[in-house]
Amino acid sequence: MPGAAPGTEPAPGCDGSEPEPGCDPAAPVPLAVPRVPTGDADVDARLQRLADADHLATDGHVEVYEDVHRGLRDALTALDARPGPPVPVPPYRHRS
């Protein structure tokens, strides 16, 4: 349907006029959400994995979302684990 919101189009092969062989109105319909590259290969691969949910029934989305979330969380954790420049230690000042 032209102008329909993403995810509301009829399933492939089903235009709504007449039932067609192989038409499954309950079939998953891709959301076609654009994914913009971040420049980080690991993060981009995780975000691309979200496209796998487009071909699954709703009950299969959770596994994909949890996998992507876990991978993104690991990528963020890795940023904290990278050693940075040492923090200068202030000289000890003895006050009396």
Side-chain angles (χ1 to χ4, degrees):
M1 294 176 146
T8 60
E9 298 87 9
C14 305
D15 65 4
S17 58
E18 290 186 29
E20 298 176 28
C23 172
D24 181 4
V29 177
L31 294 176
V33 175
R35 291 171 191 84
V36 179
T38 65
D40 183 297
D42 188 41
V43 171
D44 290 342
R46 295 294 175 178
L47 294 176
Q48 187 59 39
R49 168 101 166 88
L50 290 172
D52 293 347
D54 284 348
H55 309 289
L56 299 172
T58 306
D59 60 349
H61 291 190
V62 173
E63 181 181 343
V64 173
Y65 295 156
E66 286 178 349
D67 180 47
V68 171
H69 180 257
R70 188 173 29 257
L72 293 174
R73 186 181 59 228
D74 291 347
L76 286 173
T77 301
L79 291 175
D80 289 338
R82 290 185 190 160
V87 177
V89 178
Y92 178 72
R93 291 187 178 168
H94 180 16
R95 292 181 159 196
S96 42

